[in-house]
Structures are given as structure tokens and as C-alpha cells.
Amino acid sequence: MDYKSLINTSELPGHVAIIMDGNGRWAKEHNKPRIFGHKNGVLSVRSVVEGAGEIGLKYLTLYAFSTENWNRPKVEVTALMQLLVATISKEVSTLNKNNVRLLTIGDIESLPGNCEKELEKAKEKTKNNTGLNLVLALSYSSKTEIVNTVKAIAKDVSEAKIGLDEINDTLIDDYLETATIQDPELLIRTSGEYRISNFLLWQIAYSELYFTDKLWPDFTKDDLFEAIVNYQKRERRFGMTSEQLTN
Ligand code: FPP
């Protein structure tokens, strides 16, 4: 099915977020070590980023490494970090060619030095691009982000920079790491798991959720297009009735 041609490009979701899951199981199915799954996962990242650019998506956030992922075997964490460094340094010119701006959320400082440096360099090199904003969530925990936000707001209240009555959901939006990024309209999770796993908890309040059994290394831009077509068939009511929306 040619899902791309079915997409209504004037009603695109402004932001699609993806929980990329299933690399390990994919590797196991192929009788290979887990890192083989991650390496093939990079090809899916490439395909999806390319697809996002083709249809003119504004924001794409990929959950590449959670805070909890630090608890994985050390060899896997090291290999993932190396893969990340190699991928970023290899792809930065392609990102530039395609007008993609790279952003990150998460505790980037906790990543190995070379990884952090490579990311900072890539962000700097792509900062003036005006096409797709590719947001990598790395060493990211939504609860930690919210804790940091609460602390920052409490500090500003205690220093009388803001008043207690000024705290509302827009102000909280502005203190989150995602302050400059609109909320995702569509959240995709691969590999047949139905969890949010500490990802963008505040920001997905009204997101449409899309789950697919495909393991991440089998997911391509066509699957992204299919998810968007599915999203566009849904009626987003934001707590209202269908009648209110059509009137
Ligand atoms: C989930 O599969 C995948 C990850 C935790 C890592 C995702 C990383 C990549 C796709 C590669 C690097 C990314 C970029 C942006 C260059 P899993 O290992 O949890 O799979 P399992 O649930 O089957 O074990």
C-alpha cells in the first residue's frame, strides 16, 4: 500500500514522537548479538528521518536512550554509545544537506565525553537549518525532567521572580526541556509493547497513541506514513463532543 500518497499534507501532525523498541528481540530472531539489532535500528532511524523530511514534518522526537537504559550490561551500553557517536559524525553532513536541525533532550552531560562533544558539534553545525527538527532523547527520563522543572519553578518563586498564582500549565510548559518544542500529536511505539516508559509524560496529555507489532529494525518510513494515515482518520476531540467539533 502506498501510504505516502494517502497523507493529507495540509493536516500533518506537527510533532511525531517514537519509542523505538525491539532491537534486542530482532537480533535474537536473527541469532545475532543485541548490538546487531541496534545497528540495524540505525537504518530504521535513517529511513524514518528521510520519510519525515519528504512529507515536511516539523518535529520528530526519537527515544534513543532512557535513564533506565544505563542499567543494561556495560558492553551493550558502551556499544550503543559508540554507535551513537559514529552515526552522528557520519550523518551530520546529510542532516545539513537535508536542512535538518538536530536537538536533544535528556541529561546529555551524563553521556561519555566524546558522545557529548559529537552531539554538541552536530547541534551547532545544524542550528540554522529550517526543515525538520530531529530531537534525540538521550539519557532521558520524563520524571527527572518534571522534577527539575518543579525545582526551577520553586527557586524562581522563592526568589520572587514569579508569583505562586502565575503557575499554570503554560508556565510549566515553558520550564520543561521541551519549552521550544510543540507537544506531540502522535506517539508511536514499536514491538507490540503498550507502555510509555517514562517518555514525555506531561507533553503527551492529548497525543494520539499508535502501537505496532513491528520490531524497530523492521520499521521504515512506509510504517511512519501508515501511522500518520491512521492518525489522520481519527477524530481528536480534546474532551469535547463530536457535535461541538463539527459546529
Ligand atoms: C530498544 O530496543 C532500542 C534502544 C534502547 C536503543 C535505540 C537505539 C538505536 C536505534 C540506535 C542509535 C540511535 C540513533 C538515534 C543514532 P531494545 O534493545 O529495548 O529491544 P528489546 O526490547 O527487544 O530488548
Side-chain angles (χ1 to χ4, degrees):
M1 177 84 86
D2 177 15
Y3 288 103
K4 189 176 169 186
S5 66
L6 299 176
I7 293 177
N8 175 358
T9 43
S10 61
E11 303 247 348
L12 279 179
H15 181 179
V16 176
I18 309 184
I19 302 175
M20 310 181 286
D21 195 12
N23 293 351
R25 275 162 286 164
W26 188 90
K28 200 165 179 192
E29 278 179 7
H30 291 78
N31 291 315
K32 298 275 192 196
R34 294 179 58 83
I35 191 63
F36 183 72
H38 297 314
K39 280 187 181 152
N40 279 274
V42 174
L43 302 181
S44 296
V45 170
R46 230 175 172 275
S47 172
V48 164
V49 172
E50 210 175 84
E54 282 171 26
I55 56 172
L57 209 65
K58 265 339 271 180
Y59 282 92
L60 174 70
T61 297
L62 302 176
Y63 202 4
F65 196 83
S66 70
T67 310
E68 291 77 18
N69 287 151
W70 288 115
N71 298 321
R72 291 195 173 193
K74 196 165 176 276
V75 282
E76 182 175 345
V77 172
T78 309
L80 258 174
M81 292 301 152
Q82 278 168 359
L83 189 59
L84 191 72
V85 175
T87 307
I88 301 293
S89 61
K90 194 167 131 227
E91 300 292 345
V92 67
S93 58
T94 314
L95 293 178
N96 263 333
K97 238 179 272 156
N98 291 287
N99 201 17
V100 178
R101 179 166 72 133
L102 184 74
L103 303 166
T104 56
I105 53 171
D107 184 10
I108 301 306
E109 286 176 15
S110 68
L111 301 173
N114 61 338
C115 208
E116 188 192 349
K117 229 169 40 208
E118 210 56 62
L119 281 164
E120 292 306 339
K121 231 165 52 189
K123 283 197 276 187
E124 180 62 29
K125 281 189 185 157
T126 61
K127 72 175 184 202
N128 294 322
N129 292 339
T130 54
L132 172 72
N133 292 281
L134 172 62
V135 186
L136 295 184
L138 287 160
S139 194
Y140 176 80
S141 148
S142 181
K143 284 194 170 186
T144 303
E145 180 189 24
I146 292 170
V147 168
N148 291 338
T149 298
V150 170
K151 282 185 183 165
I153 293 173
K155 184 166 181 281
D156 284 354
V157 170
S158 72
E159 292 171 3
K161 288 185 184 145
I162 50 168
L164 208 52
D165 293 342
E166 286 176 71
I167 301 176
N168 55 25
D169 55 3
T170 324
L171 181 118
I172 293 175
D173 282 339
D174 291 342
Y175 274 78
L176 288 165
E177 280 190 67
T178 50
T180 60
I181 303 170
Q182 65 192 99
D183 287 344
E185 276 94 1
L186 173 63
L187 172 72
I188 300 171
R189 181 169 190 147
T190 60
S191 92
E193 306 281 355
Y194 304 93
R195 285 190 295 278
I196 303 300
S197 301
N198 203 3
F199 188 47
L200 301 174
L201 300 176
W202 172 273
Q203 296 88 338
I204 60 164
Y206 284 104
S207 302
E208 294 294 328
L209 309 181
Y210 180 89
F211 298 99
T212 167
D213 285 339
K214 279 214 176 168
L215 303 175
W216 179 249
D218 288 329
F219 194 92
T220 65
K221 57 178 153 183
D222 290 326
D223 298 295
L224 171 70
F225 300 152
E226 182 178 4
I228 293 175
V229 169
N230 179 292
Y231 159 88
Q232 291 187 327
K233 286 191 192 137
R234 300 186 193 183
E235 179 186 62
R236 305 189 73 214
R237 291 202 298 274
F238 303 99
M240 292 183 280
T241 65
S242 290
E243 291 70 30
Q244 283 176 300
L245 291 174
T246 47
N247 284 338

